[in-house]
Amino acid sequence: MAFYIIGVLILLQMGIIYLPFMHGIFHTTSVNFFFGWLIPIIAGVIVLVITEIIKLARIAYRKESGKKAEQFN
């Protein structure tokens, strides 16, 4: 359900940005592909990859520290 809501919000946002009659209402202009879409998508992918690497490192650390704790018992 959340993905449908996100999709609707993205469509509404694109409507506000790209529909010509909305420009006058919201005082917006269209954005080009590179600065409006490509750079934010790349930034989001970089953040996603870094957070996943950190998560995997944390899981591996917890597994390793759990093995060490078992050795002392």
Side-chain angles (χ1 to χ4, degrees):
M1 182 69 171
F3 290 110
Y4 294 123
I5 295 170
I6 292 170
V8 168
L9 290 175
I10 289 172
L11 287 175
L12 288 172
Q13 183 68 40
M14 288 177 68
I16 290 172
I17 292 173
Y18 291 108
L19 292 174
F21 67 91
M22 293 288 206
H23 291 191
I25 298 170
F26 292 101
H27 305 288
T28 60
T29 59
S30 296
V31 294
N32 65 9
F33 177 75
F34 184 73
F35 291 111
W37 290 101
L38 190 63
I39 290 177
I41 288 172
I42 291 171
V45 168
I46 290 170
V47 169
L48 176 68
V49 168
I50 290 172
T51 53
E52 289 299 318
I53 290 170
I54 291 170
K55 184 171 42 172
L56 289 173
R58 187 179 309 141
I59 291 170
Y61 174 75
R62 286 183 182 167
K63 284 183 181 179
E64 188 63 32
S65 64
K67 290 179 185 176
K68 289 179 182 177
E70 289 176 5
Q71 290 175 353
F72 295 114
N73 289 333

